[in-house]
Amino acid sequence: LNFWLFQVFFVLGTTLLVFSIVKIFTNNKITEAIWNISIILVLISFLFFTGNIILRWYVSGHAPWSNGYEMLVFVAWVLLLCGLLTFRKSDFSLPLATLFSGALLFVSYLDWLSPEITNLMPVLKSFWLKIHVATIVSSYAPLALSAILGFMALLLMIFKTKNTEKVINSRIKELTYINEISMTIGLFVLAVGTFLGGIWANESWGRYWGWDAKETWALVIVIVYAMLLHFRFVPGFIRSKFFFNAFGTIAGFGAVCMTFFGVNFYFSKSIHSYAAGDTPAFPIWLWVVLISIFALTIVAGIRDFMVDKRGDKK
């Protein structure tokens, strides 16, 4: 089902994103009707998605987030849930969440992640699998949502013109506000999940903390996002929506990607590598994505600086 769902999410997410941009400048009955129908279709798809996860739980006999494939699918599900919970606050929230959920399902469909249902390793046969892993993985979704909201804010900064400056600045402010809330929720859930992981580690290995690669990078995420959220209290950064959306979301989410993919698939000595699959080669397309994001950030920063400078002159 996930093979068809990622295609559905791509189509619906693209449709919603196009009309969310159209709604910035105009809003009529046809636009509103297509918008509402698309949201209903996303909700129906989400219910099918939920049923598929519940079915896998029933068939496997354990919580469906015990390996890399299942965790990626679960992040996609929580991310879409976040989009549905926040779509009334911003027209961009649900479209971006739907597109990113589709992208995660597409990645889960690639051949380096196995969807096979297997027996659990002894360490995973614990009550804490349902609590700790679900909490940690759930925290990735609001952090992912903050990243794509920040990415959208940067795009709006690039395409902002003199005639559209007022309305686009309003949208950027809206995205930044939801971005900050989403990041705060993600950080809180992640911190709680990290403490729960310490309890599980004590039960399994007789110690709360061992500086294992996965444990260390989980702490790195907490520190990175705590710093980024507190940067808004530093004079000079308070008014900088560019800094918050660029470094506070996209760069911050890089730490999450490092923890989820880097540790699971490339740090084979980690005792948490049971959640991984075969070590994949670093794909060329990922280099293209990283370079594109870096270039977009620079262009958005230049455009934002030029607009601020023009505003100061006025």
Side-chain angles (χ1 to χ4, degrees):
L1 182 60
N2 290 345
F3 171 75
W4 299 103
L5 279 177
F6 87 72
Q7 299 176 70
V8 171
F9 289 156
F10 276 149
V11 173
L12 291 176
T14 303
T15 302
L16 284 168
L17 184 59
V18 169
F19 280 92
S20 65
I21 296 174
V22 171
K23 288 178 67 177
I24 295 178
F25 307 103
T26 181
N27 196 8
N28 51 51
K29 291 183 178 180
I30 297 177
T31 302
E32 197 66 27
I34 296 175
W35 175 263
N36 292 330
I37 291 172
S38 299
I39 291 176
I40 293 173
L41 291 176
V42 170
L43 179 59
I44 294 173
S45 302
F46 175 76
L47 294 177
F48 276 103
F49 193 8
T50 305
N52 195 39
I53 292 178
I54 294 174
L55 179 61
R56 186 179 179 92
W57 193 333
Y58 173 75
V59 172
S60 64
H62 58 76
W65 42 76
S66 61
N67 56 43
Y69 169 82
E70 292 178 343
M71 287 197 293
L72 203 60
V73 171
F74 186 65
V75 171
W77 181 83
V78 180
L79 177 58
L80 190 56
L81 176 62
C82 292
L84 289 168
L85 292 175
T86 58
F87 82 95
R88 292 187 179 277
K89 301 297 183 182
S90 172
D91 289 339
F92 290 105
S93 178
L94 183 58
L96 295 172
T98 305
L99 277 172
F100 204 174
S101 294
L104 292 176
L105 289 183
F106 171 73
V107 172
S108 73
Y109 187 73
L110 299 178
D111 57 2
W112 51 277
L113 282 173
S114 175
E116 181 182 5
I117 296 176
T118 59
N119 294 326
L120 288 177
M121 294 183 65
V123 70
L124 295 178
K125 295 178 181 180
S126 169
F127 168 78
W128 290 102
L129 173 65
K130 301 183 183 69
I131 306 299
H132 163 64
V133 179
T135 305
I136 287 288
V137 176
S138 296
S139 70
Y140 294 164
L143 297 179
L145 180 61
S146 73
I148 54 178
L149 290 175
F151 186 80
M152 189 66 204
L154 293 182
L155 286 176
L156 291 178
M157 290 177 188
I158 292 175
F159 294 106
K160 180 169 55 178
T161 64
K162 182 178 180 180
N163 296 329
T164 61
E165 182 178 344
K166 184 177 180 180
V167 64
I168 288 184
N169 279 340
S170 176
R171 294 291 180 168
I172 293 174
K173 184 178 180 180
E174 172 187 287
L175 288 171
T176 305
Y177 176 72
I178 301 174
N179 189 350
E180 182 179 340
I181 295 176
S182 182
M183 190 186 297
T184 303
I185 294 173
L187 175 61
F188 175 78
V189 176
L190 179 66
V192 172
T194 303
F195 280 105
L196 294 176
I199 298 174
W200 187 10
N202 186 55
E203 289 187 4
S204 300
W205 302 308
R207 48 82 174 165
Y208 290 97
W209 192 264
W211 295 107
D212 175 72
K214 193 64 175 275
E215 298 171 359
T216 303
W217 273 95
L219 178 61
V220 168
I221 300 177
V222 173
I223 294 174
V224 166
Y225 275 101
M227 290 174 60
L228 292 171
L229 279 172
H230 284 80
F231 266 128
R232 69 188 190 276
F233 297 116
V234 178
F237 288 137
I238 296 177
R239 295 177 55 192
S240 178
K241 293 180 177 60
F242 164 75
F243 176 85
F244 188 82
N245 287 291
F247 296 95
T249 57
I250 298 174
F253 192 65
V256 177
C257 293
M258 181 62 194
T259 304
F260 187 87
F261 292 105
V263 175
N264 279 346
F265 294 97
Y266 294 100
F267 290 1
S268 58
K269 293 183 180 180
S270 171
I271 59 177
H272 292 79
S273 60
Y274 50 75
D278 297 330
T279 303
F282 199 84
I284 297 177
W285 61 265
L286 189 53
W287 284 113
V288 175
V289 170
L290 292 174
I291 294 172
S292 300
I293 292 175
F294 181 73
L296 181 142
T297 304
I298 293 176
V299 174
I302 294 173
R303 291 279 297 170
D304 185 63
F305 174 78
M306 292 174 62
V307 171
D308 287 346
K309 189 175 181 180
R310 185 176 62 198
D312 292 339
K313 288 182 179 180
K314 291 179 180 180

